[in-house]
């Protein structure tokens, strides 16, 4: 047993209202730059639906993840090492930009500058890739809220599969339509196929917390990782020619803060915590013959942090005490393994994803209520979960490789909690038979209810800070994400950087500001020439910090300020966070 | 044969200048611009033509490189010693070299056509790229022309008696300027363009060739790294020095 720590997330889908706050704040923090306009490290897709990029889950087409070969070994679906090198000059299965969508902005300037005339001026959409006017036809969640509708629903690979298997399993006709939202980030897999696909060795899994990152210095743009990831959560920055992906907001996590998407989630449905797992058994677990055993196998390698043997083994591996303590309080461990209400997304890709989902019970409840039943009563709910093949089978295709049993169990547990808590809330006598029906007792249900319904910030996010021993470097460890145009975007700032190019100076803290990058692009604001239009950002990207040309009077130099006698002296140290005077 | 100062400059000095720039430039680039060290692929924007053009170009080029190495490094006497006659050598060099050269040229023609006609790819083309393409195409065309004209013209000009000895002599720091000066103009042009290509190499996207990921064959699939490579990975900030 070799214990490693993994930071993981659980999302409670019942609570997601599809507001996309998480996507927008994530984009603000990480991908509001040229080259990654089309990139959403966090996206929310409506299910049933195609997802983003379109139909990414169809691995027959996109060839992501692992497969088990005849000898029982795992093998990259897109081909092994030799094949990778042989196809390195043109990746055979890279998604095209149109599989994501062509990013655009609007020609806002015509609104203010159009000559007086009879027609209202219109802000035309323009491609951010070419600067040409374009027709907007698709985006990251174009089928928003149309999930289950006949047009989009039928394109969902999962629906397609279910249909193939039984003619009428998924009826998408209007009355029986259901939908829910599925927020997705990188899964920070235990067995990441993106890492395995990278020929340069630029992608890696951090030994301390399992976060999967791309070393921007080492990435050479072979783009095999994009194909390798079955969730299509590695993206290619077409400006810088480097791969980028969700970083689990590591600069925040290292100082004990939750990721931006979690912090800003309106539904407060995200949980972050630690898993301890046995790294020696990952390969074996990911290679179990039957796809439907993958969920169990994955649960199996998660170790019980309360077990003294595990604690001892963890200490032996040098996992610090506060991390072990955090693992013992981990909400994600509780939801995934103790209560077994959180399921991994597409375990059949065999990457051992570490973002887990509490499947939504609401389609079931809604359906009951629609048909005039009491959607909160235990008997009705249990019966409905068993009777309603949709959405159970649909959810099973998402979360358990098609095995409806675990999904049914989870939904029953959630139903039991709902029914039990109704009695509690209404002050009625509680019915211990309800929790017993799902193998729990009242106290456990109460505890689970607490975690799912009312857990406060510090219960939802149990994040130990980075090692004490390294505290001296804790002002957001920069691992070379910091380039003008790179994911860290520390960059050099508008007026020059270190003497010999990007790597020659001191790194600028990662998470501090997108200040310079934003300011830079915002000053390229004239809509006159295509050159600058290509670099334009959507106004939505302005976080109120940059200085778009013309919005403020020109900035005065320090000398001018001193002359006027009322300015504050410029900071002497150039590496202050906001770098206001730089 | 007398050597004039132009020959000395071109074949005695320039090669070393080129090496200095190539090596120095590469080190500089690696040291200070690793972030810029990438293929800057445009496959995201267009893949149909790329999937034909790019392998054609790259594999053609690999064969061409091997051909150059053999032709320049292995003395004629060695191949003769293993029983390959001059004629046989030249026929195979011509055939193989011709095929490889043509696929390289066809490949890059497709790639340039693609680059010019696909909107987003053209927008992503920098001035640096354009210069690089000119030199690269010129080198390929000159090389191919020399090979073919040499054969067709029946001139039978043997680069293995002129260019190759000079090339080898460069490594022992005693450039055989006379024999290179005696080579035909075609070889001179090709060699000069080739040197120009190597001079600009470190400053263009061509550097990606230097990091061909062969180590991929030998490393374990999953890479683990410790965060920021331990305490030494980053210069300590003032006030945070280690004690
Ligand atoms: S989900 Fe994340 S860790 Fe898993 S394969 Fe994709 S990019 Fe890699
Ligand atoms: S912010 Fe929360 S509720 Fe809103 S879409 Fe994202 S995950 Fe769902």
């Amino acid at each position: 047993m070799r214990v490693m720590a993994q930071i993981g997330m659980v999302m409670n889908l019942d609570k997601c209202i599809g507001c996309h706050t998480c996507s927008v704040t994530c984009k603000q923090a990480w991908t509001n730059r040229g080259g990654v306009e089309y990139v959403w490290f966090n996206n929310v897709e409506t299910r049933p639906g195609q997802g983003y990029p379109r139909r990414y889950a169809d691995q027959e087409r996109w060839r992501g993840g692992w497969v088990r070969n005849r000898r029982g070994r795992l093998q990259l679906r897109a081909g092994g090492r030799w094949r990778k090198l042989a196809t390195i000059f043109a990746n055979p299965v890279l998604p095209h930009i149109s599989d994501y969508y062509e990013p655009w902005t609007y020609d806002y300037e015509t609104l203010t500058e159009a000559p007086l005339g009879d027609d209202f001026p219109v802000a035309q959409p323009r491609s951010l890739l070419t600067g040409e006017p374009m027709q907007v036809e698709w985006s990251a969640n174009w089928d928003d809220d149309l999930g289950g509708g006949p047009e989009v629903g039928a394109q969902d690979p999962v629906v397609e599969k279910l249909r193939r298997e039984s003619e009428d399993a998924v009826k998408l006709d209007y009355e029986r339509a259901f939908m829910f939202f599925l927020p997705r980030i990188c899964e920070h897999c235990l067995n990441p196929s993106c890492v395995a696909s990278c020929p340069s060795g630029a992608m890696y899994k951090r030994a301390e917390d399992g976060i999967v990152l791309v070393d921007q210095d080492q990435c050479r743009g072979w783009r095999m990782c994009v194909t390798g990831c079955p969730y299509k959560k590695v993206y290619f920055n077409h400006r810088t020619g480097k791969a980028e992906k969700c970083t689990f907001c590591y600069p925040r996590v290292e100082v004990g803060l939750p990721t931006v998407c979690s912090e800003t989630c309106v539904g407060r449905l995200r949980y972050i915590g630690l898993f301890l797992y046995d790294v020696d058994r990952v390969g074996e677990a990911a290679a179990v013959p039957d796809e439907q055993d993958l969920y169990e196998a994955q649960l199996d390698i998660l170790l019980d942090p309360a077990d003294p043997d595990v604690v001892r083994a963890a200490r032996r591996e040098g996992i610090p005490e506060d991390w072990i303590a955090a693992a013992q309080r981990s909400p994600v461990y509780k939801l995934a393994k103790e209560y077994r209400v959180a399921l991994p997304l597409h375990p059949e890709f065999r990457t051992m994803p570490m973002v887990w989902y509490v499947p939504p019970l609401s389609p079931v409840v809604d359906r009951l209520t629609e048909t005039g039943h009491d959607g909160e009563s235990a008997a009705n709910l249990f019966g409905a979960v068993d009777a309603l093949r949709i959405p159970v089978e649909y959810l099973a295709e998402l979360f358990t490789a098609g095995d409806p049993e675990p999904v049914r169990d989870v939904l029953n547990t959630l139903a039991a909690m709902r029914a039990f808590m109704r009695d509690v809330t209404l002050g009625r006598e509680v019915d211990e038979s309800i929790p017993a029906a799902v193998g729990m007792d009242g106290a456990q249900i109460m505890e689970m209810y607490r975690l799912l319904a009312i857990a406060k910030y510090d219960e939802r996010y149990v994040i130990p800070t980075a090692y004490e021993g390294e505290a001296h470097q804790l002002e957001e460890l920069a691992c070379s994400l910091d380039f003008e145009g790179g994911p860290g975007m520390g960059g050099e700032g508008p007026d020059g950087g270190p003497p010999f190019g990007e790597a020659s100076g001191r790194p600028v803290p990662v998470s501090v500001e997108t200040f310079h990058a934003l300011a830079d692009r915002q000053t390229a604001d004239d809509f006159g020439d295509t050159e600058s239009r290509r670099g334009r950002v959507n106004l939505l990207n302005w976080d109120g910090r940059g200085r778009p040309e013309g919005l403020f009077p020109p900035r005065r130099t320090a000398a001018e300020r001193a002359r006027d006698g009322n300015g504050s002296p410029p900071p002497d140290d150039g590496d202050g966070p906001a770098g206001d005077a730089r | 044969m007398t050597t004039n100062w132009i020959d000395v400059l071109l074949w005695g000095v320039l090669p070393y200048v080129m090496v200095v720039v190539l090596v120095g430039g590469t080190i500089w680039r690696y040291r200070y611009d690793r972030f810029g060290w990438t293929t800057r692929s445009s496959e995201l924007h267009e893949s149909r033509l790329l999937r034909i053009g790019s392998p054609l170009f790259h594999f053609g080029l690999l064969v061409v490189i091997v051909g150059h190495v053999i032709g320049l490094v292995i003395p004629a006497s060695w191949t003769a010693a293993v029983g390959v006659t001059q004629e046989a050598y030249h026929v195979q060099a011509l055939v193989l070299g011709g095929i490889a050269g043509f696929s390289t040229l066809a490949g890059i023609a497709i790639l340039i056509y693609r680059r010019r006609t696909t909107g987003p790819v053209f927008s992503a083309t920098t001035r640096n790229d354009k210069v690089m393409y000119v030199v690269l195409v010129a080198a390929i065309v000159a090389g191919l022309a020399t090979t073919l004209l040499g054969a067709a013209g029946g001139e039978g000009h043997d680069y293995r008696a002129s260019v190759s000895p000079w090339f080898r002599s460069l490594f022992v720091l005693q450039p055989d300027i006379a024999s290179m000066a005696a080579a035909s103009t075609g070889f001179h042009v090709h060699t000069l363009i080739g040197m120009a290509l190597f001079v600009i190499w470190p400053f263009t996207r061509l550097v990606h060739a230097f990091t061909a990921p062969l180590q991929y064959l030998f490393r374990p699939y999953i890479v683990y790294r410790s965060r920021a490579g331990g305490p030494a990975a980053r210069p300590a900030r003032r006030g945070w020095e280690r004690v």
Side-chain angles (χ1 to χ4, degrees):
Chain A
M1 177 159 66
R2 200 150 56 87
V3 183
M4 275 173 98
Q6 165 77 38
I7 196 139
M9 188 185 283
V10 170
M11 302 191 209
N12 182 356
L13 295 186
D14 251 336
K15 292 199 202 172
C16 181
I17 57 172
C19 64
H20 298 266
T21 307
C22 46
S23 308
V24 172
T25 49
C26 170
K27 192 152 188 50
Q28 272 290 11
W30 293 105
T31 57
N32 57 353
R33 296 162 284 139
V36 283
E37 311 91 343
Y38 74 101
V39 170
W40 298 83
F41 289 165
N42 181 109
N43 74 292
V44 184
E45 49 202 42
T46 308
R47 285 316 190 97
Q50 305 188 47
Y52 157 83
R54 271 181 258 193
R55 294 172 54 82
Y56 68 89
D58 178 3
Q59 301 313 333
E60 294 298 313
R61 168 84 183 78
W62 298 115
R63 320 221 41 88
W66 303 90
V67 282
R68 185 177 192 272
N69 65 16
R70 250 174 284 121
R71 280 172 299 134
R73 305 258 306 270
L74 280 188
Q75 166 186 325
L76 289 169
R77 195 190 279 270
R81 301 167 196 264
W82 287 101
R83 209 192 143 97
K84 284 254 142 57
L85 290 194
T87 54
I88 202 160
F89 301 131
N91 181 344
V93 273
L94 190 77
H96 187 256
I97 186 82
S98 63
D99 291 309
Y100 301 89
Y101 67 97
E102 182 164 352
W104 72 90
T105 182
Y106 292 97
D107 202 346
Y108 294 110
E109 207 173 24
T110 46
L111 296 182
T112 54
E113 310 225 319
L116 206 56
D118 291 337
D119 305 319
F120 283 111
V122 178
Q124 247 189 335
R126 281 180 183 273
S127 165
L128 278 170
L129 300 179
T130 59
E132 302 299 323
M134 67 174 270
Q135 190 75 35
V136 177
E137 277 162 359
W138 196 261
S139 80
N141 191 24
W142 197 248
D143 42 2
D144 203 357
D145 292 4
L146 297 178
E151 272 145 53
V152 201
Q155 306 263 3
D156 182 334
V158 175
V159 171
E160 225 174 58
K161 175 155 185 265
L162 287 177
R163 282 210 171 147
R164 259 204 312 275
E165 278 161 12
S166 83
E167 284 300 301
D168 57 0
V170 179
K171 276 267 178 4
L172 292 166
D173 45 298
Y174 190 68
E175 322 76 271
R176 299 183 60 186
F178 69 100
M179 70 157 208
F180 59 94
F181 300 103
L182 183 71
R184 292 201 305 127
I185 62 171
C186 163
E187 306 278 340
H188 297 276
C189 308
L190 295 186
N191 187 31
S193 51
C194 56
V195 173
S197 304
C198 172
S200 307
M203 292 195 72
Y204 60 98
K205 194 166 175 62
R206 287 213 307 197
E208 290 85 358
D209 49 18
I211 295 178
V212 175
L213 294 171
V214 186
D215 182 340
Q216 294 288 303
D217 262 346
Q218 225 179 317
C219 172
R220 304 281 171 248
W222 306 119
R223 63 217 172 274
M224 292 297 173
C225 52
V226 181
T227 307
C229 171
Y231 303 90
K232 290 293 166 281
K233 277 294 171 188
V234 192
Y235 303 87
F236 190 70
N237 181 326
H238 59 81
R239 266 290 170 86
T240 63
K242 304 264 166 166
E244 294 186 19
K245 65 180 288 299
C246 157
T247 62
F248 214 95
C249 292
Y250 73 81
R252 292 175 57 90
V253 166
E254 279 174 1
V255 292
L257 295 171
T259 63
V260 169
C261 55
S262 311
E263 174 89 56
T264 57
C265 174
V266 173
R268 300 185 181 188
L269 57 88
R270 299 190 183 214
Y271 299 79
I272 297 178
L274 285 185
F275 291 113
L276 296 182
Y277 70 103
D278 183 357
V279 63
D280 284 338
R281 278 166 54 215
V282 169
E284 176 196 319
V288 294
D290 186 353
E291 285 186 347
Q292 301 197 337
D293 294 337
L294 279 161
Y295 164 55
E296 277 302 327
Q298 183 162 336
L299 275 186
D300 221 39
I301 55 172
L302 300 183
L303 302 169
D304 179 2
D307 179 345
D309 283 345
V310 172
V311 171
R312 225 170 298 123
R315 286 198 186 116
R316 212 168 41 234
E317 297 301 327
I319 297 177
E321 289 305 320
D322 53 336
W323 280 54
I324 297 175
Q328 286 162 346
R329 289 180 49 224
S330 166
V332 295
Y333 178 82
K334 282 190 194 129
L335 292 172
K337 191 148 177 184
E338 245 175 79
Y339 308 137
R340 287 178 169 249
V341 288
L343 301 169
L345 181 64
H346 289 301
E348 72 274 20
F349 298 159
R350 295 182 185 271
T351 60
M352 307 260 116
M354 279 297 124
V355 174
W356 303 63
Y357 293 90
V358 179
L361 183 66
S362 28
V364 178
V365 179
D366 291 350
R367 189 105 187 89
L368 275 178
T369 325
E370 269 162 29
T371 49
H373 290 87
D374 176 2
E376 309 256 286
S377 108
N380 284 348
L381 270 173
F382 286 157
V385 168
D386 285 333
L388 283 180
R389 293 178 62 198
I390 339 152
V392 170
E393 284 188 4
Y394 184 88
L395 293 172
E397 287 295 336
L398 285 187
F399 298 121
T400 52
D403 181 4
E405 258 338 291
V407 175
R408 220 169 266 150
D409 288 347
V410 174
L411 294 183
N412 277 332
T413 308
L414 295 176
M417 179 179 82
R418 190 181 275 254
F420 183 81
M421 287 314 297
R422 179 165 70 163
D423 290 344
V424 172
T425 321
L426 295 181
R428 293 198 287 225
E429 190 166 339
V430 295
D431 179 358
E432 278 290 342
S433 75
I434 299 177
V438 293
M440 294 173 101
D441 58 38
Q444 269 177 312
I445 289 267
M446 293 288 282
E447 224 178 279
M448 182 170 85
Y449 163 77
R450 209 192 130 63
L451 189 56
L452 282 175
I454 46 185
K456 295 283 180 264
Y457 196 87
D458 57 346
E459 289 166 80
R460 277 179 285 134
Y461 313 125
V462 180
I463 309 170
T465 51
Y467 293 168
E468 274 166 45
E470 291 170 19
H472 65 288
Q473 346 174 345
L474 259 187
E475 326 116 75
E476 298 134 347
L477 289 154
C479 107
S480 70
L481 291 164
D482 265 324
F483 303 98
E484 205 61 52
M489 299 170 293
E492 299 167 8
D495 21 54
F500 299 111
E502 281 143 336
S504 68
R506 235 189 233 173
V508 182
V510 176
S511 68
V512 177
E513 287 298 357
T514 63
F515 181 88
H516 296 304
L518 267 173
D520 234 12
R521 272 172 295 113
Q522 278 152 352
T523 46
D525 190 63
D526 49 327
F527 233 158
D529 61 327
T530 347
E531 203 45 43
S532 69
R533 191 170 301 133
R534 255 188 281 131
R536 278 185 67 79
V537 267
N538 196 312
L539 254 188
L540 285 174
N541 284 350
W542 186 48
D543 63 355
R545 283 208 180 92
R547 302 174 64 99
E549 190 98 56
L551 188 56
F552 303 112
R555 182 181 290 201
R556 289 176 311 164
T557 61
E560 279 168 337
R561 242 176 296 167
R563 200 178 50 228
D564 294 354
N566 57 353
S568 52
D572 54 350
D573 185 355
D575 65 354
D580 183 52
R582 275 235 270 174
Chain B
M1 188 171 185
T2 59
T3 52
N4 62 25
W5 65 272
I6 295 189
D7 286 331
V8 173
L9 196 66
L10 291 186
W11 317 121
V13 177
L14 217 52
Y16 294 107
V17 173
M18 178 211 81
V19 170
V20 168
V21 176
L22 177 64
V23 174
T26 306
I27 293 172
W28 172 82
R29 183 92 189 263
Y30 193 74
R31 174 71 184 79
Y32 292 126
D33 183 32
R34 244 175 282 177
F35 182 56
W37 195 296
T38 149
T39 56
R40 222 147 37 69
S41 161
S42 54
E43 189 174 358
L44 192 66
H45 300 313
E46 200 282 346
S47 64
R48 209 171 42 85
L49 285 173
L50 182 93
R51 294 230 318 256
I52 307 168
S54 178
L56 209 56
F57 168 74
H58 282 96
F59 284 118
L61 198 60
L62 288 181
V63 177
V64 168
I65 291 171
V66 171
H68 274 73
V69 170
I70 294 175
L72 292 174
V73 173
I74 300 179
S77 55
W78 291 19
T79 46
V82 293
V84 183
T85 65
Q86 278 294 42
E87 283 68 39
Y89 179 87
H90 275 284
V91 168
Q92 68 86 19
L94 187 68
V95 173
L96 267 185
I99 294 174
F102 266 115
S103 19
T104 312
L105 192 61
I108 201 165
I110 294 174
L111 291 179
I112 291 177
Y113 169 79
R114 162 183 181 275
R115 196 158 271 280
R116 185 63 195 83
T117 52
T118 316
V121 184
F122 188 56
S123 317
T125 309
T126 63
R127 212 169 293 140
N128 180 311
D129 291 340
K130 291 174 188 160
V131 172
M132 185 274 292
Y133 273 111
V134 169
V135 181
L136 187 59
V137 171
I140 295 170
V141 169
L144 202 54
T146 322
T147 312
L148 297 184
L149 289 182
E155 183 188 328
H157 187 90
D158 188 2
Y159 59 88
R160 297 220 290 171
S162 54
V163 183
S164 306
W166 165 74
F167 180 80
R168 291 192 292 269
S169 70
L170 290 174
F171 289 89
V172 292
L173 302 182
Q174 284 169 349
D176 186 352
I177 295 164
S179 74
M180 183 59 188
S184 74
T185 320
F187 287 120
H188 286 168
V189 172
H190 177 58
T191 310
L192 285 176
I193 300 176
M195 287 201 282
L197 184 64
F198 284 118
V199 165
I200 62 167
W201 194 289
F203 312 103
T204 64
R205 61 202 293 191
L206 294 177
V207 282
H208 73 264
F210 291 154
T211 45
L214 295 175
Q215 74 280 7
Y216 183 51
L217 295 174
F218 310 106
R219 68 143 222 255
Y221 263 142
I222 310 293
V223 179
Y224 293 94
R225 281 198 212 170
S226 229
R227 188 182 51 239
R234 186 172 180 217
R237 298 213 165 174
R238 235 176 325 136
W240 289 104
E241 287 94 354
R242 283 169 77 76
V243 281

